[in-house]
Amino acid sequence: MRHRSGAAGRRGRAGWFRNVVNGERSRSPRTPAGSTDRADFDVDDVDVCEGFAVWRDECTRARTIVDAAPSPDVTRTVGEETYALRHVLAHLIEEYARHNEHADLLRERIDGSTGE
């Protein structure tokens, strides 16, 4: 969840919605000031409840940004790339599907459970 909510670059919900769609310059709260290192996967001191709370907050923020957009075809240029809101939405659906599949594969290896 920490990775999915992270704001670093264009990764994670916050990065795509805040930085790409909304033009903000936010970064992951887990990245030390002045550093470009990403701490999304540092799990030594993980607080699961905090991770889900940040993810829920970013979901709410993303919905607000999407609701404020005049159209899913609105675009913003970041660097040399131009992205439409429609592209960001489709990309994040794909990303969530990929991560859910990873979790499904891990579960099957742990206890043999398979999906339908």
Side-chain angles (χ1 to χ4, degrees), residues 16-104:
W16 280 103
F17 286 106
R18 288 185 183 219
N19 297 344
V20 175
V21 177
N22 212 37
E24 299 176 29
R25 295 189 54 118
S26 59
R27 47 188 279 132
S28 172
R30 293 170 297 279
T31 300
S35 175
T36 57
D37 292 339
R38 292 184 52 225
D40 295 349
F41 299 106
D42 294 345
V43 295
D44 292 339
D45 61 347
V46 168
D47 179 337
V48 174
C49 292
E50 180 266 342
F52 275 104
V54 169
W55 178 74
R56 284 187 204 96
D57 289 346
E58 290 303 332
C59 289
T60 299
R61 178 80 171 126
R63 287 184 190 103
T64 301
I65 291 168
V66 170
D67 290 346
S71 157
D73 296 316
V74 67
T75 62
R76 180 171 304 276
T77 300
V78 178
E80 296 182 12
E81 298 289 328
T82 300
Y83 300 95
L85 174 56
R86 183 183 310 275
H87 167 84
V88 172
L89 292 167
H91 172 71
L92 286 171
I93 290 168
E94 175 189 26
E95 281 289 307
Y96 272 83
R98 183 178 303 125
H99 285 283
N100 287 339
E101 179 64 22
H102 293 163
D104 190 45

Side-chain angles (χ1 to χ4, degrees), residues 107-114:
R107 172 147 186 210
E108 185 175 337
R109 294 292 295 158
I110 291 168
D111 67 9
S113 295
T114 60

